[in-house]
Amino acid sequence: SCGELISRNKFFEVTENEVRAASRYRYPVSCLVIDIDNFTLVNETGGNAAGDFVIERMSQILQVQIRQSDLVAKYGGDEFVILAPHTDRVNARFLAERLRRRVQDTVFEFDEMNVSVTVSIGVATLMQSTGIAGEELIGRASTALREAQQRGMNRVVIYS
């Protein structure tokens, strides 16, 4: 079994520090905000236990897929957030697409029920030092996520 996800507060704290370091030492850092599409349907069809199960499995998938240096946290009800230091826009997109496909190809088996879900992912990258705060980096990824949802879900959108 995988370790526990870190708390949202801890994630914000680490992100602030990482963004400061990235600015000082001039390396890119990326943030991904991931939302399970139509998550309310999972709860409606399978009950809250099914929803909890999907969230749990999702966190396992994310932890397995990311690199040692990346950090994943639960961000909201059915949202996750990943911090990827030393990751430029191109590699952040690769990571996001890999995660999106991995989830799409996973069948969650819960109580004789097969649940399939997709995710929408918003990505933001801090290139060199632009002097923005960690919270703003996360905010940009959230903005990109909303665009992904508006454009039909199960997709990756890069903040620009």
Side-chain angles (χ1 to χ4, degrees):
S1 120
C2 298
E4 284 296 292
L5 300 186
I6 65 164
S7 74
R8 189 182 161 137
N9 285 349
K10 179 74 179 156
F11 184 88
F12 272 111
E13 186 187 312
V14 172
T15 300
E16 284 303 338
N17 293 337
E18 193 61 58
V19 164
R20 271 200 296 272
S23 292
R24 181 178 305 137
Y25 300 112
R26 300 190 177 284
Y27 61 83
V29 57
S30 291
C31 176
L32 287 69
V33 180
I34 301 159
D35 185 69
I36 303 173
D37 298 325
N38 299 317
F39 183 67
T40 48
L41 280 179
V42 175
N43 285 323
E44 282 166 15
T45 51
N48 288 344
D52 291 346
F53 174 76
V54 168
I55 293 279
E56 181 57 41
R57 287 285 290 109
M58 186 71 67
S59 57
Q60 287 169 3
I61 289 171
L62 297 180
Q63 289 181 82
V64 166
Q65 293 292 316
I66 63 173
R67 301 161 310 177
Q68 200 68 48
S69 56
D70 299 337
L71 196 61
V72 61
K74 195 147 172 289
Y75 191 57
D78 59 327
E79 278 192 356
F80 295 87
V81 62
I82 294 174
L83 183 71
H86 299 281
T87 305
D88 61 18
R89 203 171 267 121
V90 171
N91 286 303
R93 182 192 287 275
F94 278 137
L95 172 61
E97 277 296 346
R98 192 176 78 228
L99 293 173
R100 188 193 63 74
R101 280 195 307 271
R102 184 79 184 78
V103 172
Q104 183 181 263
D105 295 345
T106 299
V107 175
F108 301 91
E109 293 174 20
F110 176 78
D111 265 6
E112 318 284 301
M113 194 172 72
N114 287 346
V115 183
S116 293
V117 295
T118 58
V119 288
S120 297
I121 305 179
V123 181
T125 301
L126 180 65
M127 299 300 288
Q128 299 296 334
S129 88
T130 51
I132 73 162
E135 205 162 333
E136 194 175 332
L137 180 64
I138 299 169
R140 288 177 179 186
S142 294
T143 299
L145 167 65
R146 282 193 296 278
E147 194 184 315
Q149 291 167 323
Q150 283 156 6
R151 281 168 43 187
M153 300 185 273
N154 191 22
R155 68 190 64 226
V156 171
V157 169
I158 314 293
Y159 179 92
S160 55

